[in-house]
Structures are given as structure tokens and as C-alpha cells.
Amino acid sequence: MMRTIAAVAAGATVAATLLAATTSASAAAAPATLPAGQYTLSANYHQFDAVNSALVSTLGTAAVHTVMDNANHDRTGITDSLGVSYETGFQFDSGDDGDCTNFPQGITTSRDAVGTAGSGNYDGHQLILVSWYTKDGCDGASSRSRITLVDWDATYPNKYRKILLVEPTGTAAAPDFKDVKVHAGGVSWFGDHLYVADTGRGMRVFDMRKILKTNTGGTAAQIGRQNATTYYAHNYAYVLPQIGTISAATTSGTNLAWSSISLDRVSRSIVMTEYTCSSGCTDYPNRAPRAVRFPFAAGATTFAASTTATQALQLPWYKLNGVASHNGRWWFNSSGAKQLYYWTPSAGPHTYAWVSGGESISYWEDAAEADLLWSLQEPIGHRNVFAVRQADYDG
């Protein structure tokens, strides 16, 4: 793995002092077990088959390696002092770093998709994938979402490419698509399937083998079918159409808020958590958050038609923007407290100082070097994507 970015010395000193400390508050507060059977998923991977087949026939697809061969944005090195000791990372270009209409949220990697085999390469590339949501203007309402594919292999160009997420509409005779208006607070890549958190519903599913090629003409406002052969996508050259929906249900009386998700490759499951407040919030629930684990179907990268959770927790922490789990261990990022919480049932909780504006977390398995936790920051002007050694944050 490319390691051209060195950790900031000052950040390393601060982190070395803080990593050893476990606060008395964290020792007293620990997750409590909830009845996992209260939480279920219903999966439909064929919701848009007819329209998607027509879109593929009309527009044609671009393989991931083709998208990366046409990557058109340069990432840069981290210049901020993050306040934590990190192994490696990058920053988006100045346009994306300072953009007040687009906000990075979720993170996953090709190591999630394929594991450590072939150095974690998917279609010949080792990739970091970040989800974003877009506003209509700096203070506008949420209007659409996208992903960014970042090539992380040192033998390839130091570039990334944006892909618009779309929902198929229309008919097989006149296929069309529209924007996906979700917060995209979490994202998980498993096999060829990409799962994107849909806050009030569950997850939307995409297939990384079905990236469509679109026309880059038109205006930035135009989306979808213009005529039988011309399709615009806000000037994006590539779109990724939704293939299905994972709908969540509960008998607990309080629906889950799918604020962030992450893949646990060991248990072959997706874990989710909720962004809530202890009190005083108007845009978010004022209650204790939950974390729930949903297993994939045996030997598959898909969920069964109906899935029951295998683990559910009530958490003592609030304003959680990130979650990860691996080998029975859990990590939770609180953007409000600027802390990373670690917990296992046997060892209990630990609290670590974390970055400001922290978002989702992805566990990076490595057969040759130390395993990592990848995360990112949302604030304008400080959109760093970085990786820390998980062993420094495991109690």
C-alpha cells in the first residue's frame, strides 16, 4: 500500500499522550444488549431489473478500471494537524475541499469488497470509496448524492473520479433515471454490491459492474433522458443506477435511523448506528442511539429476502457519525464529542481523542502490514481522508 504521507509529528505527540488514557466516564458507561429479534430487513435486489437492462442496452457500461483510467481529479497530501497519529491519507483537491454544496460522509474500500486477496484489488485497482450528499446551494436542501472512487495503488495515477448515484425510472421502452436524494451517511462495498445508507428506510443497493456512461453536455441542472439516445447527469460522465432496496423494520416501537454503516468481513455482516442527541436537538432524535448487526446470506454478498439481526445494542454515547466492527470488537465515532469509543463485551469500553468533524469508519484488513481504520472529515476546508493503526485504538 502506498504510504507517501507521513504522520504529523505534533499530532503524533498529542495522540501518544491521549491514546493511553481511558476516562472514568467511559469505564462507567457501556453498551447494553437489546433483543436482536426486534430488528429485521427485507431485501429486493431486482426492483429495477427491466429499466436497468434497457439503460445498459442504451448507454453501455464502463468497468471500474475504465473509470479509473479516466480519473480527472488529483488528490493531495494532508497538510492539517489532525490531532491523532495517522499512518497515511490524502485530501481532496481544492475544489472539493472548499465546496459548500457537497459533503463527504461514508467510506469503504476495495478491501471491504474483496478482502486481502490480490492486495485488495478490485478490477485491477486498490480503491478508497467515499459517499457524498449535495445541497441546492450552500444553504439549500439536500438534492442528490454521489460517490468518489480514489485510486490508492502507487503504480496508478494519483487521481479520483466522481460518479453520480441515480434511481431508475420510466419504462423498459423509455428508460430514465433521477437523482438519489439521500444523506449517504454510510456506505459498504461487499463483492460487487455497494450498500448506501438511507436514513429513514434502510439501505439502497447498487452494482459496481453496472456503471453507465452518460453525455456530459447540457446544463448542470439537467438529469435523465433527453431523447432516445441522449442522457444527461448534471455533467457527470458516469452514473451508478440503483438495483434494489433493503428495507428495515422493527417491533421495538422506534424505527432505526440509518446514520452510518460499515462492513464486518469476519462475521459477513453490516453494522449500523444512529446519530442521536441526549437532549435539545430539533433535527435529530433525542434518545439513546442503537447499533445493530445484520448478517448476509450464507456464502453471499447479498441479504436473504428476510433477515433478522444477530446483535443489537443500546449505546451510552451520542452524536455518532461512524461505526465499525471486526472480530467482536466495536468502534464508534462521535463527531459531537470528538472521541472514538472502543468496546468489547469482555474488555469493556475505552475512549480515545479523535478528530473534529469525523464521519464514517471502515476496517482495512492487511495480510502483510498492520490493519487500519479508515475515516474522514466533513468540514469545509479540512476534508482529510486518513487511516490509523487499529491496534492503537483497541483498548
Side-chain angles (χ1 to χ4, degrees), residues 3 6 16 31 35 43 47 49-50 59 64 86 88 144 168 175 184 233 240 280 287-288 304 350 365 371 395:
R3 298 183 181 277
Q47 185 176 357
D49 278 3
L59 299 177
V64 165
Y86 60 94
T88 190
R144 57 182 180 265
L240 183 62
R287 57 171 173 79
H350 288 69
E365 292 182 331
D371 286 3

Side-chain angles (χ1 to χ4, degrees), residues 22-45:
T22 301
T23 68
S24 57
S26 72
T33 300
L34 295 172
Q38 292 182 342
Y39 306 95
T40 58
L41 298 179
S42 297
N44 181 355
Y45 287 85

Side-chain angles (χ1 to χ4, degrees), residues 292-328:
V292 184
R293 180 187 304 278
F294 293 98
F296 288 99
T301 61
T302 55
F303 291 102
S306 179
T307 299
T308 299
T310 55
Q311 186 177 13
L313 303 169
Q314 181 171 295
L315 307 175
W317 310 299
Y318 294 90
K319 297 184 178 179
L320 301 178
N321 276 33
V323 60
S325 182
H326 190 268
N327 270 338

